[in-house]
Amino acid sequence: NVTAISDNIRDKPIVNFNWNSINDYEYGVFNITIQRLRNLINNTEWGNLFAEEIYPGLDTPIKTFIDGHLESALHPISTCQMGLCSDTRLRVFNISQVRVCDASAFGEQIDANPTATIFALAERLADIIREDYNEFHEPLQVRSSTPRVASGPTISGTSVNHLKDYSKFFPDAA
């Protein structure tokens, strides 16, 4: 669960991954993995690539190390899924003037670092916003003295056609 510690958006929340429920079997798997890595390093030429073991260290029990260092390498996503919490134009339901443009809009976990997908989503949202506010005909101002506006769509129609269409999964969302 995620718990806000204040009403200030800059204060990092407390994130509890519920890792205090690691059982003895899982600790055993970690132990075997570390033992096999040490064996590989000590008994093959791979050992020549390593100066010394830094973590967890030979004197630290694996359980003690894990309890103090377990972290997630996953990127939490899907907290504001398109179709469930936002529409296909990335507008958050029941909140005016708010759009979502990060991994929270994804429908499911992707099998890679989400950075490139987030960039593509941001490019698409730029096109959507440009379409929605086209009546103003004013270039967006950036922090330089010269306004810069992309000419035309930033994602080609061909690329847009290859994006996954979630409308069949969420027919009432649009």
Side-chain angles (χ1 to χ4, degrees):
N1 66 11
V2 178
T3 306
I5 61 170
S6 77
D7 60 357
N8 185 338
I9 196 168
R10 289 179 171 69
D11 291 339
K12 292 183 178 181
I14 297 170
V15 179
N16 179 0
F17 289 102
N18 197 27
W19 283 334
N20 55 348
S21 62
I22 296 175
N23 61 39
D24 289 338
Y25 172 79
E26 291 165 328
Y27 282 118
V29 170
F30 287 128
N31 260 325
I32 291 170
T33 303
I34 294 296
Q35 289 170 1
R36 290 190 177 166
L37 284 170
R38 286 176 177 157
N39 184 46
L40 182 68
I41 290 168
N42 293 329
N43 297 311
T44 68
E45 291 189 23
W46 279 39
N48 297 332
L49 301 173
F50 298 90
E52 63 181 308
E53 180 176 325
I54 299 173
Y55 294 111
L58 299 174
D59 299 332
T60 305
I62 192 69
K63 184 178 185 325
T64 303
F65 178 77
I66 290 171
D67 289 345
H69 293 88
L70 199 56
E71 298 175 1
S72 172
L74 296 176
H75 303 276
I77 66 163
S78 302
T79 56
C80 188
Q81 288 184 33
M82 194 181 327
L84 294 177
C85 299
S86 62
D87 63 17
T88 57
R89 299 185 76 73
L90 298 169
R91 293 175 294 217
V92 178
F93 295 145
N94 301 319
I95 302 176
S96 63
Q97 309 271 332
V98 175
R99 297 190 193 236
V100 62
C101 186
D102 63 5
S104 62
F106 296 179
E108 57 189 47
Q109 183 72 39
I110 58 174
D111 293 333
N113 187 300
T115 304
T117 310
I118 294 169
F119 288 164
L121 186 64
E123 290 285 335
R124 180 64 185 130
L125 181 57
D127 292 340
I128 290 169
I129 291 172
R130 191 176 297 114
E131 291 169 8
D132 288 353
Y133 295 96
N134 193 27
E135 71 246 25
F136 293 114
H137 300 294
E138 295 178 15
L140 298 173
Q141 294 293 323
V142 290
R143 292 185 183 195
S144 71
S145 59
T146 308
R148 294 180 286 171
V149 177
S151 59
T154 55
I155 297 180
S156 71
T158 305
S159 296
V160 171
N161 291 336
H162 287 77
L163 294 175
K164 191 168 186 178
D165 179 11
Y166 285 98
S167 62
K168 64 183 175 188
F169 300 107
F170 309 106
D172 298 327

